[in-house]
Amino acid sequence: MPLILVLGGTAEARELAAQVPVLSSLAGRVSALELPPGEVRIGGFGGVDGLVAWLLEHRPVAVVDATHPFAAQMSRHAVAACRAADVPLLRLQRPGWTEQPGDRWTRVPSLAAAAAAVGDRRVLLTTGRQAVEPFLALTRVVLRAIEPPEGIPASWTVVLGRPPWSLEAERSQLVEHRIEVVVTKDSGGPAAPKLQAAREAGLDVIVIDRPPVLATNVVPTVPAALAWLRPWMWT
Ligand code: NAP
């Protein structure tokens, strides 16, 4: 079988790996990894140079960058390395969320801008434990995280768990923690219960815009990625 490398860590990457034989690559940042079906490699490549060396050694016929929309460094490295090693690259990225009637969203360009927009309100922070640094000056924070974070202020509350959270869980967290504003990345994907719960409660939501897509070939869904891969799958 021709080797197809999928840069993963998302539901779309796991779905793709369930449909075609690929080698899935994970960063290995969380200890309780959700493994995709099939072959898996874990850990960084060592920057652009490391990825170029890996591509030249293993000679995949194509790379699918199915990382999270906010995994900007990996995506940037994939563009540079695939160009250098002359390997076709596809970016599989789900569409972002769009505002619904009743939503009270403020879109901001960065984590720092989100922190500034929170002000002194009690915030539910859903951007993940690796994105807390810009918020450290805030005191009234409820942080959601998959694993216990380190180095956060003593005044913060941490809610541990793995997304997706149910609508019931979202509703009760907003009430239990007396949340006044929600911060989220524009991760996209299926309608997010946190956005629905905030809408129902009439809460402000600060939505952080995605970093730009640098790849040339971009598709929004797994079926579209499969269609792009077809020429290599039966050669
Ligand atoms: P990042 O900042 O873009 O990447 C940092 C470094 O981690 C990369 O330079 C690379 O190391 C390594 N890396 C990232 N993804 C990798 C992969 N799939 N396979 C091998 N190495 C990888 O990434 P991140 O935002 O920390 O995200 C890490 C992983 O978590 C990604 O796979 C992403 O899909 C997933 N994820 C991220 C988010 C988010 O909000 N950022 C949310 C959900 C899931 P080297 O330079 O050494 O190659």
Side-chain angles (χ1 to χ4, degrees):
M1 280 302 281
L3 175 63
I4 295 166
L5 175 68
V6 174
L7 303 172
T10 57
E12 289 76 17
R14 288 189 290 276
E15 202 183 317
L16 186 59
Q19 303 209 26
V20 276
V22 297
L23 172 61
S24 297
S25 174
L26 300 175
R29 293 273 179 82
V30 287
S31 51
L33 282 175
E34 251 187 294
L35 288 179
E39 279 191 69
V40 177
R41 67 164 297 286
I42 295 175
F45 295 91
V48 175
D49 291 348
L51 183 51
V52 171
W54 191 97
L55 294 172
L56 294 176
E57 182 187 347
H58 297 273
R59 292 269 164 210
V61 293
V63 174
V64 179
D65 172 13
T67 56
H68 189 271
F70 282 80
Q73 180 166 304
M74 187 69 252
S75 292
R76 205 169 51 246
H77 289 184
V79 169
C82 286
R83 189 175 297 141
D86 198 20
V87 178
L89 170 68
L90 178 70
R91 174 68 171 133
L92 165 56
Q93 179 169 283
R94 59 197 180 209
W97 288 314
T98 48
E99 212 166 339
Q100 307 292 311
D103 280 335
R104 298 161 52 95
W105 289 9
T106 304
R107 282 194 173 271
V108 294
S110 65
L111 293 164
V118 168
D120 61 1
R121 293 177 289 179
R122 189 163 171 81
V123 60
L124 177 63
L125 194 54
T126 68
T127 47
R129 83 191 151 107
Q130 280 161 23
V132 297
E133 206 272 333
F135 298 93
L136 289 177
L138 304 178
T139 51
R140 306 176 68 216
V141 176
V142 178
L143 171 70
R144 281 216 301 233
I146 296 176
E147 292 183 2
E150 285 170 12
I152 59 159
S155 65
W156 287 24
T157 301
V158 176
V159 178
L160 290 177
R162 184 181 283 280
W165 297 83
S166 70
L167 182 56
E168 279 316 305
E170 297 288 4
R171 285 174 177 147
S172 61
Q173 280 179 30
L174 294 183
V175 173
E176 182 188 345
H177 298 290
R178 303 178 311 283
I179 297 300
E180 295 166 331
V181 60
V182 177
V183 171
T184 179
K185 294 173 178 170
D186 183 5
S187 297
K194 65 181 163 189
L195 298 177
Q196 183 177 336
R199 185 182 309 129
E200 290 172 1
L203 287 183
D204 288 340
V205 179
I206 297 166
V207 179
I208 303 165
D209 284 336
R210 297 160 163 215
V213 173
L214 303 178
T216 309
N217 304 308
V218 187
V219 293
T221 63
V222 171
L226 288 170
W228 185 86
L229 285 170
R230 198 159 292 137
W232 292 286
M233 283 159 41
W234 284 279
T235 53

